[in-house]
PDB file of all heavy atoms in Angstrom:
ATOM      1  N   ASP D 160     -44.657 123.673  70.250  1.00  0.00           N
ATOM      2  CA  ASP D 160     -44.937 124.744  71.207  1.00  0.00           C
ATOM      3  C   ASP D 160     -45.294 126.047  70.495  1.00  0.00           C
ATOM      4  O   ASP D 160     -46.194 126.780  70.926  1.00  0.00           O
ATOM      5  CB  ASP D 160     -43.720 124.971  72.116  1.00  0.00           C
ATOM      6  CG  ASP D 160     -43.476 123.802  73.060  1.00  0.00           C
ATOM      7  OD1 ASP D 160     -44.408 122.995  73.266  1.00  0.00           O
ATOM      8  OD2 ASP D 160     -42.352 123.697  73.587  1.00  0.00           O
ATOM      9  N   LEU D 161     -44.581 126.334  69.418  1.00  0.00           N
ATOM     10  CA  LEU D 161     -44.923 127.514  68.621  1.00  0.00           C
ATOM     11  C   LEU D 161     -46.302 127.357  68.003  1.00  0.00           C
ATOM     12  O   LEU D 161     -47.111 128.298  68.014  1.00  0.00           O
ATOM     13  CB  LEU D 161     -43.872 127.732  67.531  1.00  0.00           C
ATOM     14  CG  LEU D 161     -44.138 128.894  66.567  1.00  0.00           C
ATOM     15  CD1 LEU D 161     -44.255 130.216  67.314  1.00  0.00           C
ATOM     16  CD2 LEU D 161     -43.037 128.967  65.506  1.00  0.00           C
ATOM     17  N   HIS D 162     -46.590 126.174  67.501  1.00  0.00           N
ATOM     18  CA  HIS D 162     -47.890 125.923  66.877  1.00  0.00           C
ATOM     19  C   HIS D 162     -49.022 126.067  67.888  1.00  0.00           C
ATOM     20  O   HIS D 162     -50.063 126.672  67.596  1.00  0.00           O
ATOM     21  CB  HIS D 162     -47.904 124.522  66.261  1.00  0.00           C
ATOM     22  CG  HIS D 162     -49.166 124.182  65.565  1.00  0.00           C
ATOM     23  ND1 HIS D 162     -50.009 123.177  65.990  1.00  0.00           N
ATOM     24  CD2 HIS D 162     -49.775 124.725  64.479  1.00  0.00           C
ATOM     25  CE1 HIS D 162     -51.063 123.108  65.199  1.00  0.00           C
ATOM     26  NE2 HIS D 162     -50.945 124.032  64.273  1.00  0.00           N
ATOM     27  N   THR D 163     -48.814 125.550  69.091  1.00  0.00           N
ATOM     28  CA  THR D 163     -49.829 125.680  70.143  1.00  0.00           C
ATOM     29  C   THR D 163     -50.080 127.138  70.492  1.00  0.00           C
ATOM     30  O   THR D 163     -51.228 127.563  70.674  1.00  0.00           O
ATOM     31  CB  THR D 163     -49.384 124.911  71.401  1.00  0.00           C
ATOM     32  OG1 THR D 163     -49.271 123.517  71.083  1.00  0.00           O
ATOM     33  CG2 THR D 163     -50.381 125.097  72.533  1.00  0.00           C
ATOM     34  N   ALA D 164     -48.997 127.921  70.558  1.00  0.00           N
ATOM     35  CA  ALA D 164     -49.138 129.346  70.873  1.00  0.00           C
ATOM     36  C   ALA D 164     -49.938 130.070  69.794  1.00  0.00           C
ATOM     37  O   ALA D 164     -50.815 130.893  70.100  1.00  0.00           O
ATOM     38  CB  ALA D 164     -47.759 129.981  71.019  1.00  0.00           C
ATOM     39  N   ILE D 165     -49.643 129.768  68.544  1.00  0.00           N
ATOM     40  CA  ILE D 165     -50.371 130.401  67.437  1.00  0.00           C
ATOM     41  C   ILE D 165     -51.847 130.031  67.481  1.00  0.00           C
ATOM     42  O   ILE D 165     -52.726 130.890  67.325  1.00  0.00           O
ATOM     43  CB  ILE D 165     -49.744 130.009  66.084  1.00  0.00           C
ATOM     44  CG1 ILE D 165     -48.333 130.581  65.961  1.00  0.00           C
ATOM     45  CG2 ILE D 165     -50.611 130.496  64.923  1.00  0.00           C
ATOM     46  CD1 ILE D 165     -47.563 130.068  64.747  1.00  0.00           C
ATOM     47  N   LYS D 166     -52.125 128.758  67.702  1.00  0.00           N
ATOM     48  CA  LYS D 166     -53.520 128.308  67.766  1.00  0.00           C
ATOM     49  C   LYS D 166     -54.260 128.973  68.925  1.00  0.00           C
ATOM     50  O   LYS D 166     -55.425 129.356  68.785  1.00  0.00           O
ATOM     51  CB  LYS D 166     -53.552 126.782  67.936  1.00  0.00           C
ATOM     52  CG  LYS D 166     -53.108 126.021  66.708  1.00  0.00           C
ATOM     53  CD  LYS D 166     -54.222 125.852  65.700  1.00  0.00           C
ATOM     54  CE  LYS D 166     -55.235 124.864  66.165  1.00  0.00           C
ATOM     55  NZ  LYS D 166     -56.328 124.663  65.161  1.00  0.00           N
ATOM     56  N   THR D 167     -53.587 129.116  70.057  1.00  0.00           N
ATOM     57  CA  THR D 167     -54.201 129.775  71.210  1.00  0.00           C
ATOM     58  C   THR D 167     -54.489 131.235  70.909  1.00  0.00           C
ATOM     59  O   THR D 167     -55.562 131.760  71.258  1.00  0.00           O
ATOM     60  CB  THR D 167     -53.273 129.659  72.433  1.00  0.00           C
ATOM     61  OG1 THR D 167     -53.061 128.272  72.743  1.00  0.00           O
ATOM     62  CG2 THR D 167     -53.888 130.361  73.646  1.00  0.00           C
ATOM     63  N   MET D 168     -53.551 131.903  70.270  1.00  0.00           N
ATOM     64  CA  MET D 168     -53.758 133.306  69.894  1.00  0.00           C
ATOM     65  C   MET D 168     -54.948 133.441  68.950  1.00  0.00           C
ATOM     66  O   MET D 168     -55.770 134.359  69.093  1.00  0.00           O
ATOM     67  CB  MET D 168     -52.502 133.865  69.224  1.00  0.00           C
ATOM     68  CG  MET D 168     -51.315 134.029  70.159  1.00  0.00           C
ATOM     69  SD  MET D 168     -49.831 134.534  69.275  1.00  0.00           S
ATOM     70  CE  MET D 168     -50.272 136.235  68.801  1.00  0.00           C
ATOM     71  N   HIS D 169     -55.058 132.526  68.012  1.00  0.00           N
ATOM     72  CA  HIS D 169     -56.181 132.581  67.068  1.00  0.00           C
ATOM     73  C   HIS D 169     -57.513 132.356  67.786  1.00  0.00           C
ATOM     74  O   HIS D 169     -58.488 133.088  67.560  1.00  0.00           O
ATOM     75  CB  HIS D 169     -55.994 131.540  65.969  1.00  0.00           C
ATOM     76  CG  HIS D 169     -57.100 131.518  64.959  1.00  0.00           C
ATOM     77  ND1 HIS D 169     -58.106 130.570  64.973  1.00  0.00           N
ATOM     78  CD2 HIS D 169     -57.380 132.347  63.917  1.00  0.00           C
ATOM     79  CE1 HIS D 169     -58.945 130.802  63.982  1.00  0.00           C
ATOM     80  NE2 HIS D 169     -58.541 131.878  63.327  1.00  0.00           N
ATOM     81  N   ALA D 170     -57.530 131.379  68.671  1.00  0.00           N
ATOM     82  CA  ALA D 170     -58.761 131.082  69.406  1.00  0.00           C
ATOM     83  C   ALA D 170     -59.174 132.242  70.306  1.00  0.00           C
ATOM     84  O   ALA D 170     -60.365 132.503  70.490  1.00  0.00           O
ATOM     85  CB  ALA D 170     -58.565 129.814  70.238  1.00  0.00           C
ATOM     86  N   ASN D 171     -58.169 132.955  70.834  1.00  0.00           N
ATOM     87  CA  ASN D 171     -58.448 134.076  71.738  1.00  0.00           C
ATOM     88  C   ASN D 171     -58.574 135.415  71.013  1.00  0.00           C
ATOM     89  O   ASN D 171     -58.629 136.466  71.666  1.00  0.00           O
ATOM     90  CB  ASN D 171     -57.345 134.176  72.801  1.00  0.00           C
ATOM     91  CG  ASN D 171     -57.358 132.997  73.750  1.00  0.00           C
ATOM     92  OD1 ASN D 171     -58.367 132.325  73.912  1.00  0.00           O
ATOM     93  ND2 ASN D 171     -56.216 132.725  74.368  1.00  0.00           N
ATOM     94  N   LYS D 172     -58.568 135.355  69.671  1.00  0.00           N
ATOM     95  CA  LYS D 172     -58.732 136.560  68.845  1.00  0.00           C
ATOM     96  C   LYS D 172     -57.663 137.607  69.181  1.00  0.00           C
ATOM     97  O   LYS D 172     -57.965 138.784  69.415  1.00  0.00           O
ATOM     98  CB  LYS D 172     -60.137 137.143  69.006  1.00  0.00           C
ATOM     99  CG  LYS D 172     -61.255 136.197  68.592  1.00  0.00           C
ATOM    100  CD  LYS D 172     -62.593 136.859  68.649  1.00  0.00           C
ATOM    101  CE  LYS D 172     -63.760 135.964  68.295  1.00  0.00           C
ATOM    102  NZ  LYS D 172     -63.509 134.769  67.550  1.00  0.00           N
ATOM    103  N   ARG D 173     -56.403 137.164  69.187  1.00  0.00           N
ATOM    104  CA  ARG D 173     -55.296 138.062  69.502  1.00  0.00           C
ATOM    105  C   ARG D 173     -54.690 138.715  68.260  1.00  0.00           C
ATOM    106  O   ARG D 173     -53.715 139.453  68.369  1.00  0.00           O
ATOM    107  CB  ARG D 173     -54.203 137.310  70.269  1.00  0.00           C
ATOM    108  CG  ARG D 173     -54.628 136.767  71.614  1.00  0.00           C
ATOM    109  CD  ARG D 173     -55.218 137.842  72.516  1.00  0.00           C
ATOM    110  NE  ARG D 173     -54.252 138.911  72.781  1.00  0.00           N
ATOM    111  CZ  ARG D 173     -53.470 138.966  73.831  1.00  0.00           C
ATOM    112  NH1 ARG D 173     -53.515 137.994  74.733  1.00  0.00           N
ATOM    113  NH2 ARG D 173     -52.645 139.977  74.011  1.00  0.00           N
ATOM    114  N   TYR D 174     -55.240 138.430  67.112  1.00  0.00           N
ATOM    115  CA  TYR D 174     -54.756 139.081  65.896  1.00  0.00           C
ATOM    116  C   TYR D 174     -55.807 138.976  64.797  1.00  0.00           C
ATOM    117  O   TYR D 174     -56.688 138.101  64.825  1.00  0.00           O
ATOM    118  CB  TYR D 174     -53.439 138.449  65.418  1.00  0.00           C
ATOM    119  CG  TYR D 174     -53.556 136.980  65.036  1.00  0.00           C
ATOM    120  CD1 TYR D 174     -53.960 136.590  63.762  1.00  0.00           C
ATOM    121  CD2 TYR D 174     -53.239 135.971  65.951  1.00  0.00           C
ATOM    122  CE1 TYR D 174     -54.068 135.260  63.412  1.00  0.00           C
ATOM    123  CE2 TYR D 174     -53.332 134.637  65.610  1.00  0.00           C
ATOM    124  CZ  TYR D 174     -53.745 134.281  64.337  1.00  0.00           C
ATOM    125  OH  TYR D 174     -53.849 132.960  63.992  1.00  0.00           O
ATOM    126  N   LYS D 175     -55.692 139.893  63.852  1.00  0.00           N
ATOM    127  CA  LYS D 175     -56.495 139.813  62.635  1.00  0.00           C
ATOM    128  C   LYS D 175     -55.763 138.955  61.616  1.00  0.00           C
ATOM    129  O   LYS D 175     -56.337 138.051  61.001  1.00  0.00           O
ATOM    130  CB  LYS D 175     -56.732 141.219  62.077  1.00  0.00           C
ATOM    131  CG  LYS D 175     -57.548 141.266  60.794  1.00  0.00           C
ATOM    132  CD  LYS D 175     -57.733 142.721  60.359  1.00  0.00           C
ATOM    133  CE  LYS D 175     -58.583 142.801  59.097  1.00  0.00           C
ATOM    134  NZ  LYS D 175     -58.773 144.232  58.674  1.00  0.00           N
ATOM    135  N   GLN D 176     -54.478 139.262  61.436  1.00  0.00           N
ATOM    136  CA  GLN D 176     -53.590 138.486  60.581  1.00  0.00           C
ATOM    137  C   GLN D 176     -52.187 138.554  61.177  1.00  0.00           C
ATOM    138  O   GLN D 176     -51.819 139.546  61.823  1.00  0.00           O
ATOM    139  CB  GLN D 176     -53.568 139.034  59.151  1.00  0.00           C
ATOM    140  CG  GLN D 176     -54.851 138.771  58.370  1.00  0.00           C
ATOM    141  CD  GLN D 176     -55.277 139.987  57.559  1.00  0.00           C
ATOM    142  OE1 GLN D 176     -54.744 141.075  57.729  1.00  0.00           O
ATOM    143  NE2 GLN D 176     -56.248 139.796  56.693  1.00  0.00           N
ATOM    144  N   MET D 177     -51.414 137.499  60.949  1.00  0.00           N
ATOM    145  CA  MET D 177     -50.042 137.469  61.442  1.00  0.00           C
ATOM    146  C   MET D 177     -49.114 136.954  60.344  1.00  0.00           C
ATOM    147  O   MET D 177     -49.452 136.008  59.625  1.00  0.00           O
ATOM    148  CB  MET D 177     -49.932 136.588  62.693  1.00  0.00           C
ATOM    149  CG  MET D 177     -48.532 136.512  63.278  1.00  0.00           C
ATOM    150  SD  MET D 177     -48.491 136.022  65.031  1.00  0.00           S
ATOM    151  CE  MET D 177     -49.371 134.454  64.994  1.00  0.00           C
ATOM    152  N   VAL D 178     -47.953 137.593  60.241  1.00  0.00           N
ATOM    153  CA  VAL D 178     -46.939 137.205  59.266  1.00  0.00           C
ATOM    154  C   VAL D 178     -45.646 136.899  60.007  1.00  0.00           C
ATOM    155  O   VAL D 178     -45.254 137.632  60.924  1.00  0.00           O
ATOM    156  CB  VAL D 178     -46.706 138.325  58.227  1.00  0.00           C
ATOM    157  CG1 VAL D 178     -45.438 138.072  57.401  1.00  0.00           C
ATOM    158  CG2 VAL D 178     -47.908 138.444  57.305  1.00  0.00           C
ATOM    159  N   MET D 179     -44.979 135.818  59.606  1.00  0.00           N
ATOM    160  CA  MET D 179     -43.706 135.446  60.211  1.00  0.00           C
ATOM    161  C   MET D 179     -42.654 135.261  59.119  1.00  0.00           C
ATOM    162  O   MET D 179     -42.903 134.564  58.131  1.00  0.00           O
ATOM    163  CB  MET D 179     -43.839 134.147  61.018  1.00  0.00           C
ATOM    164  CG  MET D 179     -44.737 134.247  62.222  1.00  0.00           C
ATOM    165  SD  MET D 179     -44.741 132.690  63.178  1.00  0.00           S
ATOM    166  CE  MET D 179     -45.562 133.225  64.688  1.00  0.00           C
ATOM    167  N   TYR D 180     -41.488 135.867  59.315  1.00  0.00           N
ATOM    168  CA  TYR D 180     -40.323 135.652  58.462  1.00  0.00           C
ATOM    169  C   TYR D 180     -39.271 134.955  59.329  1.00  0.00           C
ATOM    170  O   TYR D 180     -38.799 135.540  60.312  1.00  0.00           O
ATOM    171  CB  TYR D 180     -39.762 136.981  57.949  1.00  0.00           C
ATOM    172  CG  TYR D 180     -40.517 137.628  56.797  1.00  0.00           C
ATOM    173  CD1 TYR D 180     -41.811 137.241  56.455  1.00  0.00           C
ATOM    174  CD2 TYR D 180     -39.929 138.635  56.049  1.00  0.00           C
ATOM    175  CE1 TYR D 180     -42.490 137.840  55.401  1.00  0.00           C
ATOM    176  CE2 TYR D 180     -40.590 139.239  54.991  1.00  0.00           C
ATOM    177  CZ  TYR D 180     -41.882 138.845  54.676  1.00  0.00           C
ATOM    178  OH  TYR D 180     -42.549 139.446  53.627  1.00  0.00           O
ATOM    179  N   ILE D 181     -38.889 133.729  58.956  1.00  0.00           N
ATOM    180  CA  ILE D 181     -38.012 132.916  59.796  1.00  0.00           C
ATOM    181  C   ILE D 181     -36.695 132.614  59.082  1.00  0.00           C
ATOM    182  O   ILE D 181     -36.676 131.955  58.043  1.00  0.00           O
ATOM    183  CB  ILE D 181     -38.690 131.590  60.204  1.00  0.00           C
ATOM    184  CG1 ILE D 181     -40.091 131.861  60.788  1.00  0.00           C
ATOM    185  CG2 ILE D 181     -37.813 130.834  61.188  1.00  0.00           C
ATOM    186  CD1 ILE D 181     -40.108 132.662  62.061  1.00  0.00           C
ATOM    187  N   GLU D 182     -35.609 133.107  59.657  1.00  0.00           N
ATOM    188  CA  GLU D 182     -34.258 132.883  59.141  1.00  0.00           C
ATOM    189  C   GLU D 182     -33.567 131.824  59.995  1.00  0.00           C
ATOM    190  O   GLU D 182     -33.144 132.099  61.126  1.00  0.00           O
ATOM    191  CB  GLU D 182     -33.452 134.192  59.188  1.00  0.00           C
ATOM    192  CG  GLU D 182     -31.983 134.051  58.853  1.00  0.00           C
ATOM    193  CD  GLU D 182     -31.719 133.760  57.398  1.00  0.00           C
ATOM    194  OE1 GLU D 182     -31.995 134.635  56.553  1.00  0.00           O
ATOM    195  OE2 GLU D 182     -31.233 132.643  57.112  1.00  0.00           O
ATOM    196  N   ALA D 183     -33.490 130.590  59.486  1.00  0.00           N
ATOM    197  CA  ALA D 183     -32.819 129.512  60.219  1.00  0.00           C
ATOM    198  C   ALA D 183     -32.676 128.308  59.301  1.00  0.00           C
ATOM    199  O   ALA D 183     -33.456 128.131  58.351  1.00  0.00           O
ATOM    200  CB  ALA D 183     -33.612 129.115  61.466  1.00  0.00           C
ATOM    201  N   CYS D 184     -31.699 127.473  59.589  1.00  0.00           N
ATOM    202  CA  CYS D 184     -31.564 126.216  58.859  1.00  0.00           C
ATOM    203  C   CYS D 184     -32.790 125.333  59.101  1.00  0.00           C
ATOM    204  O   CYS D 184     -33.346 125.314  60.200  1.00  0.00           O
ATOM    205  CB  CYS D 184     -30.311 125.474  59.313  1.00  0.00           C
ATOM    206  SG  CYS D 184     -28.759 126.278  58.878  1.00  0.00           S
ATOM    207  N   GLU D 185     -33.205 124.641  58.062  1.00  0.00           N
ATOM    208  CA  GLU D 185     -34.326 123.703  58.140  1.00  0.00           C
ATOM    209  C   GLU D 185     -35.580 124.351  58.735  1.00  0.00           C
ATOM    210  O   GLU D 185     -36.426 123.699  59.338  1.00  0.00           O
ATOM    211  CB  GLU D 185     -33.920 122.461  58.947  1.00  0.00           C
ATOM    212  CG  GLU D 185     -32.789 121.707  58.272  1.00  0.00           C
ATOM    213  CD  GLU D 185     -32.164 120.618  59.112  1.00  0.00           C
ATOM    214  OE1 GLU D 185     -31.567 120.945  60.141  1.00  0.00           O
ATOM    215  OE2 GLU D 185     -32.269 119.448  58.717  1.00  0.00           O
ATOM    216  N   SER D 186     -35.694 125.669  58.556  1.00  0.00           N
ATOM    217  CA  SER D 186     -36.799 126.421  59.158  1.00  0.00           C
ATOM    218  C   SER D 186     -38.165 125.983  58.651  1.00  0.00           C
ATOM    219  O   SER D 186     -39.166 126.134  59.353  1.00  0.00           O
ATOM    220  CB  SER D 186     -36.598 127.927  58.944  1.00  0.00           C
ATOM    221  OG  SER D 186     -36.162 128.219  57.630  1.00  0.00           O
ATOM    222  N   GLY D 187     -38.210 125.424  57.445  1.00  0.00           N
ATOM    223  CA  GLY D 187     -39.487 124.938  56.937  1.00  0.00           C
ATOM    224  C   GLY D 187     -40.083 123.843  57.796  1.00  0.00           C
ATOM    225  O   GLY D 187     -41.309 123.652  57.811  1.00  0.00           O
ATOM    226  N   SER D 188     -39.238 123.118  58.539  1.00  0.00           N
ATOM    227  CA  SER D 188     -39.732 122.019  59.377  1.00  0.00           C
ATOM    228  C   SER D 188     -40.570 122.519  60.551  1.00  0.00           C
ATOM    229  O   SER D 188     -41.287 121.742  61.181  1.00  0.00           O
ATOM    230  CB  SER D 188     -38.562 121.185  59.902  1.00  0.00           C
ATOM    231  OG  SER D 188     -37.759 121.945  60.797  1.00  0.00           O
ATOM    232  N   MET D 189     -40.496 123.812  60.840  1.00  0.00           N
ATOM    233  CA  MET D 189     -41.304 124.373  61.923  1.00  0.00           C
ATOM    234  C   MET D 189     -42.775 124.498  61.526  1.00  0.00           C
ATOM    235  O   MET D 189     -43.638 124.653  62.397  1.00  0.00           O
ATOM    236  CB  MET D 189     -40.772 125.739  62.329  1.00  0.00           C
ATOM    237  CG  MET D 189     -39.385 125.732  62.945  1.00  0.00           C
ATOM    238  SD  MET D 189     -39.303 124.910  64.558  1.00  0.00           S
ATOM    239  CE  MET D 189     -40.248 126.044  65.582  1.00  0.00           C
ATOM    240  N   PHE D 190     -43.052 124.418  60.218  1.00  0.00           N
ATOM    241  CA  PHE D 190     -44.412 124.704  59.747  1.00  0.00           C
ATOM    242  C   PHE D 190     -44.960 123.653  58.777  1.00  0.00           C
ATOM    243  O   PHE D 190     -46.173 123.527  58.641  1.00  0.00           O
ATOM    244  CB  PHE D 190     -44.442 126.076  59.062  1.00  0.00           C
ATOM    245  CG  PHE D 190     -43.914 127.179  59.930  1.00  0.00           C
ATOM    246  CD1 PHE D 190     -42.605 127.613  59.811  1.00  0.00           C
ATOM    247  CD2 PHE D 190     -44.713 127.752  60.898  1.00  0.00           C
ATOM    248  CE1 PHE D 190     -42.102 128.615  60.623  1.00  0.00           C
ATOM    249  CE2 PHE D 190     -44.228 128.753  61.731  1.00  0.00           C
ATOM    250  CZ  PHE D 190     -42.913 129.190  61.592  1.00  0.00           C
TER     251      PHE D 190
END
Side-chain angles (χ1 to χ4, degrees):
D160 291 342
L161 177 59
H162 182 245
T163 298
I165 294 171
K166 290 277 288 181
T167 300
M168 291 174 69
H169 180 259
N171 293 338
K172 300 185 182 340
R173 297 306 300 265
Y174 62 85
K175 179 179 182 180
Q176 288 138 349
M177 180 158 56
V178 167
M179 295 184 168
Y180 282 16
I181 309 296
E182 172 71 66
C184 293
E185 297 170 295
S186 43
S188 66
M189 295 293 292
F190 305 97

